[in-house]
Amino acid sequence: MFNFEIVAGETVRQVLHEKRGDVLGIVSDAYRAHESGDSVNPDSYFLRFPEKPDSRIIALPAFLGADVQLAGIKWIASFPGNTRRGAPRASAVLLLNDYETGYPIACLEAANISAARTAASAAVAATALRPDGFAGTRIAVVGGGVIARNICDYLNVAGCAPDAYLVHDLDEASGQALAEHVRTTQNRPATFTADLDAALGADTVVFATTALEPYVSTPFKPGQLVLNISLRDLAPEVVLGADNILDDVEHCLKAQTSPHLAEQLSGSREFVTGTLAGVLNGEVTPSPDRPVIFSPFGLGVLDLAVGAFVLGEARKDGSTIEVPNFFGETRRW
């Protein structure tokens, strides 16, 4: 009852690398469980720093029922300045709590979990929102960081097979590195472009940047699919000109995200077409006459679902680190 385990980053990375197909199913199931009400997903809490306006640490508490039955919280830091040191922007831990007693049972390195659930979310949306597949199309990725790399990997595992990739990043070295990663891992054409407009013209456009405010004001065209993963790249007018699929309406329409700005500009939520779970359940069908934008705010229940899976796999191969006597008292008297 009072055991406490740690799952180190290398173990997390290895489990996720070998089980991407499983993660896709886990994320899809978690969306459906959340849509059905079998979860508790409060607002995220943002810790910001006056002297570092681009940096933040976010707390994402959640409970997921279904076959998980765990509560927990992800504590994730986003410090874009890390990239100038050659280090990843994000770092995180995930704490899991037993639902029966409330006791913490495990702490997992979670930057990998967060990247995997974000990328899997994008891939699940891509397959659901372009059901005819990706043959004969191009995918453009705006942003060449860790999240973008994971998205490309998960798109591939999900069977999204475009004719070519186009990568745009303000830092050419990062963009070139992502293009090379795609060529190497997928044996698929991938090129870097410094021309943002060229990227915006692709059939599918993925945004995975650290943008703090909109810079894309060009409207998309019918048939284009936009995976708005970084949430703040698009001007509200662009959002209002498309069908909009969100992961969770209440969560996404806050914190000055592009959909939140669209709500403020329009004065209503009528531009929201539905949720991804609604699409997965066959209850929501975007119009073929408009572009489609998927905007996921990022739900803590996804971290719980993926984290619980990683913990289970690590236990199977004996790679968790048990911490004896973690709790100072285990009896009331």
Side-chain angles (χ1 to χ4, degrees), residues 112-180:
N112 284 281
I113 290 172
S114 188
R117 65 83 151 149
T118 300
S121 168
V124 169
T127 55
L129 296 172
R130 195 179 284 284
D132 293 335
F134 290 77
T137 73
R138 291 187 307 159
I139 294 178
V141 183
V142 180
V146 172
I147 296 297
R149 167 165 50 83
N150 277 271
I151 290 172
C152 292
D153 291 341
Y154 273 88
L155 287 172
N156 187 49
V157 172
C160 302
D163 287 3
Y165 272 85
L166 195 61
V167 179
H168 171 79
D169 195 293
L170 295 177
D171 176 45
E172 182 174 349
S174 296
Q176 293 282 12
L178 179 59
E180 174 62 21

Coordinates of all heavy atoms in Angstrom, one line a residue, residues 112-180:
N112 N 9.1 13.4 -21.8 CA 8.9 12.4 -22.9 C 7.4 12.0 -23.0 O 6.9 11.8 -24.1 CB 9.7 11.2 -22.7 CG 11.2 11.4 -23.1 OD1 11.5 11.3 -24.2 ND2 12.0 11.6 -22.1
I113 N 6.8 11.8 -21.8 CA 5.4 11.5 -21.8 C 4.5 12.6 -22.4 O 3.6 12.4 -23.2 CB 4.9 11.2 -20.3 CG1 5.5 9.9 -19.9 CG2 3.4 11.2 -20.2 CD1 5.3 9.6 -18.4
S114 N 4.9 13.9 -22.0 CA 4.1 15.0 -22.6 C 4.3 15.1 -24.1 O 3.3 15.4 -24.8 CB 4.6 16.3 -21.9 OG 3.8 17.4 -22.2
A115 N 5.5 15.0 -24.5 CA 5.7 15.0 -26.0 C 5.0 13.9 -26.7 O 4.4 14.1 -27.8 CB 7.2 14.9 -26.3
A116 N 5.0 12.7 -26.1 CA 4.3 11.6 -26.8 C 2.8 11.8 -26.8 O 2.2 11.5 -27.9 CB 4.7 10.3 -26.0
R117 N 2.2 12.2 -25.7 CA 0.8 12.4 -25.8 C 0.4 13.5 -26.7 O -0.7 13.5 -27.3 CB 0.2 12.5 -24.4 CG 0.6 13.7 -23.5 CD -0.3 14.9 -23.9 NE -0.5 15.8 -22.7 CZ -0.6 17.1 -22.8 NH1 -0.6 17.7 -24.0 NH2 -0.8 17.9 -21.8
T118 N 1.2 14.6 -26.8 CA 0.9 15.7 -27.7 C 1.0 15.2 -29.1 O 0.1 15.5 -29.9 CB 1.9 16.8 -27.4 OG1 1.8 17.3 -26.1 CG2 1.6 18.0 -28.4
A119 N 2.0 14.5 -29.4 CA 2.2 14.0 -30.8 C 1.2 13.0 -31.2 O 0.7 13.0 -32.3 CB 3.6 13.4 -30.9
A120 N 0.8 12.1 -30.2 CA -0.2 11.1 -30.5 C -1.5 11.8 -30.7 O -2.3 11.4 -31.6 CB -0.3 10.1 -29.4
S121 N -1.8 12.8 -30.0 CA -3.0 13.6 -30.1 C -3.1 14.2 -31.6 O -4.2 14.1 -32.2 CB -3.1 14.7 -29.1 OG -4.1 15.7 -29.4
A122 N -2.0 14.7 -32.0 CA -2.0 15.3 -33.4 C -2.2 14.2 -34.4 O -2.9 14.4 -35.4 CB -0.6 16.0 -33.6
A123 N -1.6 13.0 -34.2 CA -1.7 11.9 -35.2 C -3.1 11.4 -35.2 O -3.7 11.0 -36.3 CB -0.7 10.8 -34.9
V124 N -3.7 11.2 -34.0 CA -5.1 10.7 -33.9 C -6.0 11.7 -34.7 O -6.9 11.3 -35.5 CB -5.6 10.6 -32.5 CG1 -7.1 10.4 -32.4 CG2 -4.8 9.4 -31.8
A125 N -5.8 13.0 -34.5 CA -6.6 14.0 -35.2 C -6.4 14.0 -36.7 O -7.3 14.1 -37.5 CB -6.3 15.4 -34.6
A126 N -5.1 13.8 -37.1 CA -4.8 13.8 -38.5 C -5.5 12.6 -39.2 O -6.1 12.8 -40.3 CB -3.3 13.6 -38.7
T127 N -5.5 11.5 -38.6 CA -6.2 10.3 -39.3 C -7.7 10.5 -39.3 O -8.4 10.1 -40.2 CB -5.8 9.0 -38.6 OG1 -6.1 9.1 -37.2 CG2 -4.3 8.7 -38.8
A128 N -8.2 11.1 -38.2 CA -9.7 11.3 -38.1 C -10.2 12.4 -39.0 O -11.3 12.3 -39.6 CB -10.1 11.6 -36.7
L129 N -9.4 13.4 -39.2 CA -9.8 14.6 -40.0 C -9.4 14.5 -41.4 O -9.9 15.4 -42.2 CB -9.3 15.9 -39.3 CG -9.8 16.1 -37.9 CD1 -9.1 17.3 -37.2 CD2 -11.4 16.4 -37.9
R130 N -8.6 13.6 -41.8 CA -8.3 13.4 -43.2 C -8.5 11.9 -43.5 O -7.5 11.1 -43.7 CB -6.9 13.8 -43.6 CG -6.7 14.0 -45.1 CD -5.3 14.4 -45.5 NE -5.1 15.8 -45.3 CZ -5.5 16.8 -46.1 NH1 -6.3 16.5 -47.1 NH2 -5.3 18.1 -45.8
P131 N -9.7 11.4 -43.4 CA -10.0 10.0 -43.5 C -9.6 9.3 -44.8 O -9.4 8.1 -44.9 CB -11.5 9.9 -43.2 CG -12.0 11.2 -43.6 CD -11.0 12.2 -43.3
D132 N -9.5 10.1 -45.9 CA -9.1 9.5 -47.2 C -7.6 9.3 -47.3 O -7.1 8.8 -48.3 CB -9.6 10.5 -48.3 CG -11.1 10.5 -48.4 OD1 -11.7 9.5 -48.0 OD2 -11.6 11.5 -48.9
G133 N -6.8 9.7 -46.2 CA -5.4 9.4 -46.2 C -4.6 10.6 -46.8 O -5.1 11.6 -47.1
F134 N -3.3 10.4 -46.9 CA -2.3 11.4 -47.2 C -1.6 11.2 -48.5 O -0.7 12.0 -48.8 CB -1.4 11.6 -46.0 CG -2.0 12.2 -44.8 CD1 -2.8 11.4 -43.9 CD2 -1.8 13.5 -44.4 CE1 -3.4 12.0 -42.8 CE2 -2.4 14.1 -43.3 CZ -3.2 13.3 -42.5
A135 N -1.9 10.2 -49.2 CA -1.3 9.9 -50.5 C -1.5 11.1 -51.4 O -2.6 11.6 -51.5 CB -1.8 8.6 -51.1
G136 N -0.5 11.6 -52.1 CA -0.6 12.7 -53.0 C -0.6 14.0 -52.4 O -0.9 15.0 -53.0
T137 N -0.3 14.1 -51.1 CA -0.4 15.4 -50.4 C 1.0 15.7 -49.8 O 1.9 14.8 -49.7 CB -1.4 15.4 -49.2 OG1 -0.9 14.5 -48.1 CG2 -2.7 14.9 -49.7
R138 N 1.1 16.9 -49.3 CA 2.3 17.4 -48.6 C 2.0 17.8 -47.2 O 0.9 18.4 -46.9 CB 3.0 18.5 -49.3 CG 3.7 18.2 -50.6 CD 4.5 19.4 -51.1 NE 3.6 20.6 -51.1 CZ 4.1 21.9 -51.1 NH1 5.4 22.1 -51.0 NH2 3.3 22.9 -51.1
I139 N 2.8 17.5 -46.2 CA 2.7 17.9 -44.8 C 3.8 19.0 -44.6 O 5.0 18.7 -44.8 CB 2.8 16.8 -43.8 CG1 1.6 15.8 -44.0 CG2 2.8 17.3 -42.4 CD1 1.7 14.6 -43.0
A140 N 3.4 20.1 -44.1 CA 4.4 21.1 -43.7 C 4.4 21.2 -42.2 O 3.4 21.2 -41.5 CB 4.1 22.5 -44.3
V141 N 5.6 21.3 -41.6 CA 5.8 21.5 -40.2 C 6.4 22.8 -39.9 O 7.5 23.1 -40.4 CB 6.6 20.3 -39.6 CG1 6.7 20.5 -38.1 CG2 6.0 19.0 -40.0
V142 N 5.7 23.6 -39.1 CA 6.3 25.0 -38.8 C 6.8 24.8 -37.3 O 6.0 24.7 -36.4 CB 5.2 26.0 -38.9 CG1 5.8 27.4 -38.5 CG2 4.6 26.1 -40.3
G143 N 8.1 24.9 -37.2 CA 8.7 24.7 -35.9 C 9.5 23.4 -36.0 O 9.0 22.3 -36.4
G144 N 10.8 23.4 -35.6 CA 11.6 22.2 -35.7 C 12.2 21.7 -34.4 O 13.4 21.3 -34.4
G145 N 11.4 21.6 -33.4 CA 11.9 21.2 -32.1 C 11.5 19.8 -31.7 O 11.1 19.0 -32.6
V146 N 11.5 19.5 -30.4 CA 11.3 18.1 -30.0 C 9.8 17.7 -30.2 O 9.6 16.6 -30.7 CB 11.6 18.0 -28.4 CG1 11.1 16.7 -27.9 CG2 13.1 18.2 -28.2
I147 N 8.9 18.6 -30.0 CA 7.5 18.3 -30.2 C 7.3 18.0 -31.7 O 6.6 17.0 -32.1 CB 6.5 19.4 -29.8 CG1 6.7 19.6 -28.3 CG2 5.1 19.1 -30.2 CD1 6.2 18.4 -27.5
A148 N 7.8 18.8 -32.6 CA 7.7 18.6 -34.0 C 8.3 17.2 -34.4 O 7.7 16.5 -35.3 CB 8.4 19.7 -34.8
R149 N 9.4 16.9 -33.9 CA 10.0 15.6 -34.2 C 9.1 14.4 -33.8 O 8.9 13.5 -34.6 CB 11.4 15.4 -33.5 CG 11.9 14.0 -33.5 CD 13.4 14.0 -33.2 NE 13.7 14.7 -32.0 CZ 13.6 14.2 -30.7 NH1 13.1 13.0 -30.5 NH2 14.0 14.9 -29.7
N150 N 8.5 14.5 -32.6 CA 7.6 13.5 -32.1 C 6.4 13.4 -33.0 O 5.9 12.3 -33.2 CB 7.3 13.7 -30.6 CG 8.3 13.2 -29.7 OD1 8.3 12.0 -29.3 ND2 9.3 14.0 -29.4
I151 N 5.9 14.6 -33.4 CA 4.7 14.6 -34.2 C 4.9 13.8 -35.5 O 4.1 13.0 -36.0 CB 4.2 16.0 -34.5 CG1 3.6 16.6 -33.2 CG2 3.1 16.0 -35.6 CD1 3.3 18.1 -33.3
C152 N 6.1 14.1 -36.2 CA 6.4 13.4 -37.4 C 6.5 11.9 -37.2 O 6.0 11.1 -38.0 CB 7.7 13.9 -38.0 SG 7.6 15.7 -38.6
D153 N 7.1 11.5 -36.1 CA 7.2 10.1 -35.8 C 5.9 9.4 -35.6 O 5.6 8.3 -36.1 CB 8.0 9.9 -34.5 CG 9.5 10.2 -34.6 OD1 10.0 10.3 -35.8 OD2 10.2 10.5 -33.6
Y154 N 5.0 10.1 -34.9 CA 3.6 9.5 -34.6 C 2.8 9.5 -35.8 O 1.9 8.6 -36.0 CB 3.0 10.2 -33.4 CG 3.3 9.6 -32.1 CD1 4.5 10.0 -31.4 CD2 2.6 8.5 -31.6 CE1 4.8 9.4 -30.2 CE2 2.9 7.9 -30.4 CZ 4.0 8.3 -29.7 OH 4.4 7.7 -28.5
L155 N 2.9 10.6 -36.6 CA 2.1 10.6 -37.9 C 2.5 9.4 -38.8 O 1.7 8.7 -39.4 CB 2.4 11.9 -38.7 CG 1.8 13.2 -38.2 CD1 2.3 14.4 -38.9 CD2 0.3 13.1 -38.2
N156 N 3.8 9.1 -38.8 CA 4.3 7.9 -39.5 C 3.7 6.6 -39.0 O 3.2 5.8 -39.8 CB 5.8 7.9 -39.5 CG 6.4 6.8 -40.4 OD1 6.0 6.7 -41.6 ND2 7.3 6.0 -39.9
V157 N 3.7 6.4 -37.7 CA 3.2 5.2 -37.1 C 1.7 5.1 -37.3 O 1.1 4.0 -37.5 CB 3.5 5.2 -35.5 CG1 2.8 4.0 -34.9 CG2 5.0 5.1 -35.3
A158 N 1.0 6.3 -37.3 CA -0.5 6.3 -37.6 C -0.8 6.0 -39.0 O -2.0 5.9 -39.3 CB -1.0 7.6 -37.1
G159 N 0.2 5.9 -39.9 CA -0.1 5.6 -41.3 C -0.3 6.8 -42.2 O -0.8 6.7 -43.3
C160 N 0.0 8.0 -41.6 CA -0.1 9.2 -42.4 C 1.2 9.3 -43.3 O 2.3 9.6 -42.9 CB -0.1 10.5 -41.5 SG -1.5 10.4 -40.3
A161 N 1.0 9.0 -44.6 CA 2.1 8.8 -45.5 C 2.0 9.8 -46.7 O 1.5 9.5 -47.8 CB 2.1 7.4 -46.1
P162 N 2.4 11.0 -46.4 CA 2.4 12.0 -47.5 C 3.5 11.8 -48.6 O 4.4 11.0 -48.3 CB 2.6 13.4 -46.8 CG 3.6 12.9 -45.7 CD 3.0 11.6 -45.2
D163 N 3.3 12.4 -49.7 CA 4.4 12.3 -50.7 C 5.7 13.0 -50.2 O 6.8 12.6 -50.6 CB 3.9 13.0 -52.0 CG 2.9 12.1 -52.7 OD1 2.5 11.1 -52.1 OD2 2.5 12.5 -53.8
A164 N 5.6 14.0 -49.4 CA 6.7 14.8 -49.0 C 6.4 15.6 -47.8 O 5.2 16.0 -47.5 CB 7.3 15.7 -50.1
Y165 N 7.5 16.0 -47.0 CA 7.4 16.9 -45.9 C 8.1 18.2 -46.3 O 9.1 18.2 -47.0 CB 8.1 16.4 -44.7 CG 7.2 15.5 -43.8 CD1 7.0 14.2 -44.0 CD2 6.6 16.1 -42.7 CE1 6.2 13.4 -43.2 CE2 5.8 15.3 -41.8 CZ 5.6 14.0 -42.1 OH 4.8 13.2 -41.3
L166 N 7.6 19.3 -45.7 CA 8.3 20.6 -45.9 C 8.4 21.2 -44.4 O 7.5 21.1 -43.7 CB 7.4 21.6 -46.7 CG 8.0 22.9 -47.2 CD1 9.2 22.5 -48.2 CD2 6.9 23.6 -48.0
V167 N 9.6 21.6 -44.1 CA 9.9 22.1 -42.7 C 10.3 23.6 -42.8 O 11.1 24.0 -43.6 CB 11.0 21.3 -42.1 CG1 11.3 21.8 -40.7 CG2 10.6 19.8 -42.0
H168 N 9.6 24.4 -41.9 CA 10.0 25.8 -41.7 C 10.3 26.1 -40.3 O 9.6 25.6 -39.4 CB 8.8 26.7 -42.2 CG 9.1 28.1 -41.9 ND1 9.9 28.9 -42.6 CD2 8.6 28.9 -40.8 CE1 9.9 30.2 -42.1 NE2 9.1 30.2 -41.0
D169 N 11.4 26.8 -40.1 CA 11.8 27.2 -38.7 C 12.6 28.5 -38.9 O 13.3 28.6 -39.8 CB 12.6 26.1 -38.0 CG 12.6 26.4 -36.5 OD1 13.3 27.4 -36.1 OD2 12.1 25.6 -35.7
L170 N 12.5 29.4 -37.9 CA 13.3 30.6 -37.9 C 14.8 30.3 -37.8 O 15.6 31.0 -38.3 CB 12.8 31.6 -36.8 CG 11.4 32.1 -37.0 CD1 11.1 33.0 -35.8 CD2 11.3 32.9 -38.3
D171 N 15.0 29.2 -37.1 CA 16.4 28.7 -36.9 C 16.6 27.6 -38.0 O 16.1 26.5 -37.9 CB 16.6 28.1 -35.5 CG 18.0 27.5 -35.4 OD1 19.0 28.2 -35.8 OD2 18.1 26.4 -34.8
E172 N 17.4 27.9 -39.0 CA 17.6 27.0 -40.1 C 18.2 25.7 -39.7 O 17.8 24.6 -40.2 CB 18.4 27.6 -41.2 CG 18.6 26.7 -42.4 CD 19.3 27.3 -43.6 OE1 19.5 28.5 -43.5 OE2 19.7 26.6 -44.5
A173 N 19.1 25.7 -38.7 CA 19.7 24.5 -38.3 C 18.7 23.5 -37.7 O 18.7 22.3 -37.9 CB 20.8 24.8 -37.2
S174 N 17.7 24.0 -36.9 CA 16.7 23.2 -36.4 C 15.8 22.6 -37.5 O 15.4 21.4 -37.5 CB 15.8 24.0 -35.4 OG 16.6 24.4 -34.3
G175 N 15.4 23.5 -38.4 CA 14.6 23.0 -39.5 C 15.3 22.0 -40.4 O 14.7 21.0 -40.8
Q176 N 16.6 22.2 -40.6 CA 17.3 21.2 -41.4 C 17.4 19.9 -40.7 O 17.4 18.8 -41.3 CB 18.7 21.7 -41.7 CG 18.7 22.9 -42.7 CD 18.5 22.5 -44.1 OE1 18.2 21.4 -44.5 NE2 18.8 23.5 -45.0
A177 N 17.6 20.0 -39.3 CA 17.7 18.7 -38.5 C 16.4 17.9 -38.6 O 16.4 16.7 -38.7 CB 18.1 19.1 -37.1
L178 N 15.3 18.6 -38.5 CA 14.0 17.9 -38.5 C 13.8 17.3 -39.9 O 13.4 16.1 -40.0 CB 12.8 18.8 -38.2 CG 11.5 18.2 -38.3 CD1 11.4 17.0 -37.3 CD2 10.4 19.2 -38.0
A179 N 14.1 18.0 -41.0 CA 14.0 17.4 -42.3 C 14.9 16.2 -42.5 O 14.4 15.2 -43.1 CB 14.4 18.5 -43.4
E180 N 16.1 16.2 -42.0 CA 17.0 15.1 -42.0 C 16.4 13.9 -41.2 O 16.5 12.8 -41.7 CB 18.4 15.5 -41.5 CG 19.4 14.3 -41.4 CD 19.7 13.7 -42.8 OE1 19.5 14.3 -43.8 OE2 20.1 12.5 -42.8

